[in-house]
Amino acid sequence: MSTFLDGVRFSVLDRSRTREGEDPAQALRATVRLAQEVEALGYHRFWVSEHHGVPGVAGSAPTVLAAAVAAATSAVRVGTGGVMLPNHRPLVVAEQFGVLEALFPGRIDMGVGRSVGFTDGVRRALGRDKDDADRFGEQLAELLGWFTGEQTAHPRVHARPAEGLRVPPFVLATGEGAGIAAAAGLPLVIGDLRGRERLLTAVDTYRAAFRPSPWAAEPYVVVAGTVAVAATEAEARRLLVPEAWSLAHSRTLGVFPPLAPPERIEGLPMTEKQRGFYEAGLGGHVHGTEEQVAEALERAVKETGAQEVMVTTSTYDRAALSESYRRLARAVGLTPRDA
């Protein structure tokens, strides 16, 4: 393998996906176990996500889950990918991350995004609507101000214990958020690796517009995407089947189901529309043997100039998922922490 990937960090984002026949508690506990596994393998960060009212996804309270992950680990950085800021008051978010940083100093990351609820019903339950995402830049500035003590929206109010602490902030973006990250002078987390042209445009925009800040002196890019590694390319592609079907199911039936075993999915009758979404869900991801994946990631890093890759893979077979992360760690030359 080329040494081009030397110095590039590799991290993991887990969405606490449930499997058929499994309850949410099992999925959440599995997320904590996976964090322990990837910590031992030498990954840099382990992040958890925020989803509300989504069948098949157990992770609805990322700061709570991050606390459990941080308590079960000792070296890997722990954070959120991300807290969806339009769903929360910035003061409350600052307080939560302040508590995390106070409990686990030097290990907490604060990844925030601008998405709102999955459906109209969820948005109403959260007391939000789609337009709230347009205030993300304003909310982000307030959030950072709670840590520095410079927020002006609420005079004489202070975030405890957040004020004075340094919790590294990251902005999650699918494109338009890149400009907000650049203006705020924050690291950017952007995906996915499949839409390479759009990804490169957003990264170029971010770097060109970046303004140094107390949080980051220069641009920092984390590219996110699905990576599946197995003994053969066919086996790696099969790891993608459960998530591809869940996406096809959600886009045609409106429900995001738990992950199902690939052998059952491959025998399912699908409508033409479902088949189209399913095949699209399988396409473009980085997958294959260790050598194939290392080459593909080397190209992605060279094209984007990314300093870090965040892997977001989901599949039905947890043992196969763990093996994929082990193979990926070998492929990119991570140093095990348990060595």
Side-chain angles (χ1 to χ4, degrees):
M1 189 192 80
S2 164
T3 59
F4 186 87
L5 292 174
D6 288 353
V8 177
R9 292 165 166 168
F10 284 83
S11 300
V12 172
L13 166 63
D14 189 66
R15 293 185 294 133
S16 301
R17 294 285 275 114
T18 59
R19 276 68 172 169
E20 284 189 350
E22 176 182 81
D23 63 31
Q26 290 172 285
L28 293 170
R29 293 188 184 104
T31 290
V32 175
R33 289 194 299 272
L34 181 62
Q36 294 171 322
E37 292 175 14
V38 302
E39 175 180 60
L41 291 169
Y43 287 89
H44 183 59
R45 309 180 205 276
F46 186 89
W47 283 7
V48 296
S49 62
E50 175 182 337
H51 295 274
H52 297 284
V54 180
V57 182
S60 58
T63 53
V64 176
L65 185 52
V69 169
T73 56
S74 60
V76 69
R77 294 196 64 86
V78 177
T80 54
V83 166
M84 295 301 131
L85 200 50
N87 295 335
H88 309 279
R89 299 294 300 181
L91 170 62
V92 175
V93 176
E95 290 172 335
Q96 291 173 344
F97 279 96
V99 169
L100 284 170
E101 177 64 20
L103 290 172
F104 309 102
R107 291 181 55 214
I108 301 301
D109 299 323
M110 182 173 63
V112 295
R114 64 188 296 273
S115 297
V116 289
F118 180 63
T119 65
D120 288 338
V122 169
R123 286 190 288 272
R124 285 193 297 271
L126 291 168
R128 300 291 184 268
D129 59 43
K130 289 182 179 180
D131 293 340
D132 285 303
D134 297 335
R135 296 182 53 245
F136 176 66
E138 174 189 334
Q139 289 184 306
L140 179 63
E142 181 185 333
L143 172 63
L144 299 178
W146 288 116
F147 286 92
T148 62
E150 298 171 335
Q151 68 81 26
T152 58
H154 305 279
R156 296 182 298 281
V157 180
H158 300 270
R160 310 294 188 198
E163 189 172 308
L165 296 180
R166 297 286 294 183
V167 181
F170 295 76
V171 172
L172 278 67
T174 54
E176 56 189 295
I180 295 173
L186 299 182
L188 175 71
V189 183
I190 188 163
D192 63 28
L193 289 170
R194 293 186 296 174
R196 196 63 58 86
E197 184 174 338
R198 183 183 178 191
L199 174 66
L200 293 175
T201 298
V203 168
D204 289 344
T205 297
Y206 165 72
R207 288 202 174 98
F210 184 87
R211 297 191 304 193
S213 74
W215 302 97
E218 55 189 30
Y220 187 89
V221 175
V222 184
V223 293
T226 295
V227 180
V229 196
T232 67
E233 184 176 359
E235 288 177 43
R237 187 178 187 276
R238 208 153 185 262
L239 295 179
L240 306 174
V241 166
E243 187 72 13
W245 169 243
S246 283
L247 290 169
H249 190 281
S250 70
R251 292 187 178 185
T252 53
L253 299 175
V255 177
F256 202 85
L259 298 173
E263 57 270 18
R264 189 172 72 76
I265 293 168
E266 289 166 344
L268 287 174
M270 298 185 194
T271 66
E272 183 177 347
K273 190 173 184 180
Q274 285 176 331
R275 178 65 63 179
F277 282 128
Y278 173 68
E279 294 295 340
L282 289 172
H285 297 296
V286 175
H287 72 283
T289 64
E290 293 176 30
E291 293 76 13
Q292 289 172 321
V293 166
E295 291 174 5
L297 288 175
E298 181 177 337
R299 288 194 300 272
V301 168
K302 187 173 183 179
E303 289 174 5
T304 62
Q307 289 99 326
E308 187 169 341
V309 176
M310 181 161 284
V311 183
T312 62
T313 310
S314 297
T315 194
Y316 176 82
D317 186 335
R318 293 194 186 280
L321 179 63
S322 295
E323 178 64 16
S324 178
Y325 282 123
R326 281 193 290 273
R327 288 180 178 273
L328 176 59
R330 285 200 301 266
V332 300
L334 298 187
T335 302
R337 287 192 175 93
D338 58 350

